[in-house]
Every structure is written in C-alpha cells, then in structure tokens.
Amino acid sequence: MARGSQTRQRIMDVAQEAVLDKGFDATSIDEIVANAEITKSGFFYHFRDKNALARALIERHIEIEDALFDDLFERARELSDDPLQQLLIGLKLLAELLSDIPGGHPGCIVATAAYQDRLFDNEVREANRRAVLGWRSRFRDMLETVQQTYPMNEQVSLDHLADMFSVVIEGGLVMARAVNDPRLTEQQVLLLRSYLNLLFSPASRSN
Amino acid sequence: MARGSQTRQRIMDVAQEAVLDKGFDATSIDEIVANAEITKSGFFYHFRDKNALARALIERHIEIEDALFDDLFERARELSDDPLQQLLIGLKLLAELLSDIPGGHPGCIVATAAYQDRLFDNEVREANRRAVLGWRSRFRDMLETVQQTYPMNEQVSLDHLADMFSVVIEGGLVMARAVNDPRLTEQQVLLLRSYLNLLFSPASRSN
DNA sequence: TGTACATCAGTGAACGCGCGTTCACTGATGTAC
DNA sequence: TGTACATCAGTGAACGCGCGTTCACTGATGTAC
C-alpha cells in the first residue's frame, strides 16, 4: 500500500472510533489529527473538508457491513440447505457476532448520520440512503426465497419485514447506549429471529 | 401561567422543534432565541447553560410520552376486556398516532441524546436512562398480564420483549429518517403487533 | 547514468467566524410596614 | 394609602476560545530524455 493511502486509512480508523463514541460533530479535526499523528493540514491534503471524511466513512462502512453480512449468511448456507433454517442460523450468528464486538458496532454510523442530517451535505445523505436501501433488498431477497417454501402464517409486507432487520439492529444500538447495556442489541436480534420463526414455521406450535 | 414560565415554555417549544429537526448541538442558542423572540441573555435567565435546556427537554418529553401512552392504552382497555386484545389494539392505535404526526415524533429526542452522549453531562444521561427503563417496566407489566391468560408459543424473556417496543419505535424513527419515509415507523409498529399476536395467540393458526 | 521537472505527501502559521457564556445594568411587578 | 425594598424577567455589549479552513511553502519519490 502506498504511503499516502496508509495515512488516509489511519485517519479514517481514528475518526471512526471517535465518531462511534461521541458523534460526528463532537469529533474535532484537531482530535483526529492528534490521534493519527499527523498535522491538521495533512488531514486536509487527504480530505477536501469534513464532509468528505463523513462520506468516506459511510462508504467504507457500507462495504465492511456488506462483506460481513455476505460472510455470515454464506456460513449459514453451509450449515443448512433449508432457506428458513439458513435465515434463522444467520440471525443467530449475527447475534453472536454483536455480542463479541465490545461497545457498539459499525452499524451506528448510519444512525449517527441520520440523526445529524442537517450537518451533512446531500452526497452524504444519499450515501446513507443507499446503504439502507441496499440492506432492504438484501433481506427482501432472502425472505422471498423462504416464502416460496414456507407460506407465512400471517400476511405481512416483505419489504417492511426486510426493513425490520435494520430497524431492530439500529434501534437496538440506540437503546443499548441509552441504558448502557451492550447485550441489548443481541437480545433484540434474537427476538426478531423468534418472530421470523413463528411467522414462517409450519404450525404444530403447541409447546 | 406567570409571564416568566410562558417564555420558558416558548423557548422549549422552539428548541424542541429545532432539536428534532437537526440534533441538539446543531441547534444554536442564537437560533433558539431568534425564533422565541427573546435576547440571548434572556435565555440564560431561564436556563443556567445549554445542558440545563437538554435536561428540561428530556424531562418534559418523558412526561408527554408517558401521558400519551397512558391515554392510548386506557382507550384500548375501554375497547376490550381481554389483555391480549388490549395490547394489540394499543399498538394499532400507536401506529395510527405515529402516522398522524407529520415528520418525526418526540421519541427521537431520546435517540438524539443517546447518540450525542459525550456532549451531555451525567444528569442528562441519567434522565435519558430513566426514561427508557420506565418504558421497559410499563410494557413489561402489560406483557405479564397477557401471559397470565395466554401462555407464550415460544419462550422469550419478557424484559427483552418489553424493550422491543422502544427498539422498534426508536429504530423505526432512525430508519424513517434515513430513507426519508415517515410511514416506516408505523409499519414497524404493526410488525411488532404481528409478532405479539403470533407469540401469544392460541394456535389454530392455519389461515 | 545524470539532470530537469512533476507529483506526492505532507508542514506551520494564520485567520475569521460562530458559539456558549458572563456581567453590569434596568424596568415592571410584588410585598412589608 | 404611600413609601422602601426585593424579586422577577429580562436587555445589550463584550469576550474568548475552539473550530474548520486556507495558503505559501517543502522534502521525498517518480518519470522523461
């Protein structure tokens, strides 16, 4: 890796940690450059302005998150041939993964961005929107496959259901922060799993 | 109402609108006093500093939210004697209410606070925490009553399930912002309703 | 192989603006005697 | 009922600090001939 892009990477790593910890605008460039061991003007060599950093952070985050989901459900496919089982196993793996990451995982960058909307320019908002819509279509595809084999026990919109993955994760992260209990997100993902199980499993549900 | 407390109220109204729109620290005191038609020093007569405003906003919000939930489930109790039906009706009413409020409802003040944690002092964080725990115990009580009549079809923790109300609402609000679709929150609340229905309804679930 | 030039990856100092906060003061209303 | 004093609900001007951003400059590396 070229010398310059190493530095750029380091700036982003340092920035991401700070942003996840306390939000984007509470993270000053001074602080970032101090931790990245570079000068302020070095920062502006790599990023035109602070918005460019936000954009880069969101875009990189989407890639990482996507790769992570790819891995996760790939593993799930290895463990079962049944589409419903794959989904349930994937969610279980996701819950485990969430419990392994100490103190907040990448997902919340999206929420941070959503909540500080007006601070960002249009490009940042668009990047954020694309990320969320990407997740919707990913989970929607999986749900459609499941539905082909397992008719739903109650009719609900697959799009809404697909959004619920993001909702539960992001909502879980918000609440985990609010009550200061990092395990909350994981627990909520397992509840989503329980819902999908009840929704798609063929009856015989007595005890 | 005394002259002073009218002004105080006006400051808070104006501030709340701005905070919900773009976050707490993106809302300047200058802007608040301009919209409240008062001078900057007038603001500092009513609030010692910006944190005091945050605290007042969160506390007032909790009261309003609590009153709102009280009303909502009181109405639900009038409409049915059955605890499960009460819960389901309550959620339906909540969804309708969310769709009536144009552009974001109070709930997100809590998320805003959670995501800008480091900006606030301990008292603000504590107020926020109390709010969330209050909702947990409220919903937990309702769920316990339901469970006495309707055993769960799948064993899950009532505490986690109670948290899911907040998770779905807050997560829904975050996502609604991210994709710019105000109806998203309402849809997610209805999915939670669907989950509770599947979880507690006695079998005979085959369409 | 040596020289000329260009690009890369930064440095250091300065700037200006907006922000939260302070402080000395004031006119209107309330209270004691 | 009138006067003295206290409190309430503000005003207006100033301050200082941190922040994002700019700008002129520089030493190291890469490329052409």
Side-chain angles (χ1 to χ4, degrees):
Chain A
M1 185 154 45
R3 177 171 143 240
S5 90
Q6 255 182 50
T7 308
R8 194 185 149 92
Q9 209 64 28
R10 204 170 64 244
I11 294 173
M12 287 178 70
D13 291 342
V14 158
Q16 171 149 336
E17 201 188 324
V19 168
L20 289 179
D21 190 38
K22 55 192 174 194
F24 185 74
D25 50 349
T27 302
S28 73
I29 295 179
D30 276 306
E31 182 196 342
I32 294 169
V33 302
N35 289 329
E37 284 172 324
I38 205 184
T39 60
K40 222 165 169 179
S41 357
F43 173 88
F44 282 96
Y45 174 75
H46 288 285
F47 301 95
R48 171 201 299 273
D49 54 26
K50 219 189 171 190
N51 263 308
L53 172 66
R55 219 151 47 225
L57 241 32
I58 290 183
E59 267 151 19
R60 188 179 72 161
H61 161 64
I62 294 170
E63 276 171 38
I64 293 173
E65 187 98 332
D66 273 350
L68 192 144
F69 281 140
D70 282 343
D71 273 17
L72 210 109
F73 288 104
E74 173 59 34
R75 275 247 38 222
R77 267 193 300 278
E78 286 166 19
L79 294 170
S80 171
D81 286 335
D82 182 84
L84 177 55
Q85 285 310 310
Q86 283 168 11
L87 192 62
L88 297 179
I89 291 170
L91 283 174
K92 179 77 178 132
L93 292 175
L94 177 58
E96 278 167 19
L97 191 135
L98 284 169
S99 72
D100 285 346
I101 302 172
H105 104 302
C108 23
I109 275 212
V110 170
T112 300
Y115 261 92
Q116 303 183 352
D117 226 25
R118 296 297 149 114
L119 292 174
F120 299 124
D121 57 27
N122 243 315
E123 270 180 273
V124 177
R125 275 196 293 279
E126 253 316 299
N128 207 27
R129 200 177 130 88
R130 269 200 313 278
V132 174
L133 294 179
W135 296 336
R136 174 187 288 174
S137 78
R138 147 179 245 119
F139 291 118
R140 206 206 131 91
D141 287 351
M142 299 181 61
L143 291 168
E144 258 168 13
T145 311
V146 171
Q147 199 201 13
Q148 274 158 30
T149 328
Y150 299 94
M152 287 192 264
N153 293 313
E154 196 173 310
Q155 290 308 311
V156 296
S157 150
L158 284 188
D159 269 336
H160 300 174
L161 203 53
D163 282 343
M164 201 179 196
F165 286 73
S166 304
V167 164
V168 165
I169 295 172
E170 296 296 337
L173 291 168
V174 169
M175 285 299 133
R177 278 192 165 233
V179 296
N180 195 23
D181 173 10
R183 301 206 53 198
L184 196 145
T185 314
E186 178 197 343
Q187 296 156 359
Q188 293 298 316
V189 169
L190 290 177
L191 285 183
L192 172 59
R193 183 174 180 276
S194 150
Y195 177 32
L196 294 174
N197 191 24
L198 287 172
L199 190 59
F200 289 108
S201 280
S204 96
R205 168 224 273 163
S206 45
N207 68 347
Chain B
M1 185 154 47
R3 174 170 145 243
S5 88
Q6 255 182 49
T7 308
R8 195 186 148 92
Q9 209 63 27
R10 205 169 64 244
I11 293 173
M12 288 178 69
D13 290 343
V14 157
Q16 170 148 336
E17 201 188 324
V19 169
L20 289 180
D21 190 37
K22 55 192 175 194
F24 185 73
D25 52 349
T27 302
S28 72
I29 296 179
D30 276 305
E31 182 195 344
I32 294 170
V33 302
N35 289 329
E37 284 171 323
I38 205 184
T39 60
K40 221 163 166 180
S41 358
F43 173 88
F44 283 96
Y45 173 75
H46 287 285
F47 301 94
R48 170 204 300 274
D49 54 25
K50 220 188 169 191
N51 264 307
L53 172 67
R55 219 151 47 228
L57 241 31
I58 290 182
E59 267 151 18
R60 189 179 71 160
H61 161 64
I62 295 169
E63 277 171 38
I64 293 174
E65 189 98 330
D66 273 349
L68 191 145
F69 281 139
D70 281 343
D71 272 19
L72 210 108
F73 289 103
E74 173 58 34
R75 271 273 2 243
R77 268 193 299 280
E78 286 166 18
L79 294 170
S80 172
D81 285 336
D82 181 83
L84 177 55
Q85 285 311 309
Q86 282 169 12
L87 192 62
L88 298 179
I89 291 170
L91 283 175
K92 178 79 179 133
L93 292 175
L94 176 57
E96 278 166 17
L97 191 135
L98 284 169
S99 72
D100 284 348
I101 302 172
H105 104 299
C108 25
I109 275 212
V110 170
T112 299
Y115 262 93
Q116 303 185 350
D117 226 23
R118 298 295 151 113
L119 292 173
F120 298 123
D121 57 26
N122 244 316
E123 268 180 274
V124 175
R125 276 197 291 279
E126 253 317 298
N128 207 27
R129 201 176 130 88
R130 270 201 314 278
V132 174
L133 294 179
W135 296 335
R136 174 187 288 174
S137 78
R138 149 181 243 122
F139 292 118
R140 206 206 131 90
D141 287 351
M142 297 181 63
L143 291 168
E144 258 169 11
T145 312
V146 171
Q147 198 200 13
Q148 274 158 31
T149 327
Y150 299 94
M152 287 193 263
N153 293 314
E154 196 172 310
Q155 290 308 310
V156 297
S157 149
L158 284 189
D159 268 337
H160 301 174
L161 204 53
D163 282 344
M164 204 181 195
F165 287 74
S166 304
V167 165
V168 165
I169 294 172
E170 297 295 339
L173 292 167
V174 170
M175 285 298 134
R177 279 192 161 231
V179 297
N180 194 24
D181 172 10
R183 302 206 53 197
L184 196 145
T185 314
E186 176 198 346
Q187 296 156 359
Q188 294 298 316
V189 169
L190 290 178
L191 285 184
L192 173 59
R193 182 173 180 275
S194 151
Y195 177 32
L196 294 174
N197 190 25
L198 287 173
L199 190 58
F200 289 108
S201 279
S204 96
R205 169 227 272 166
S206 46
N207 51 345

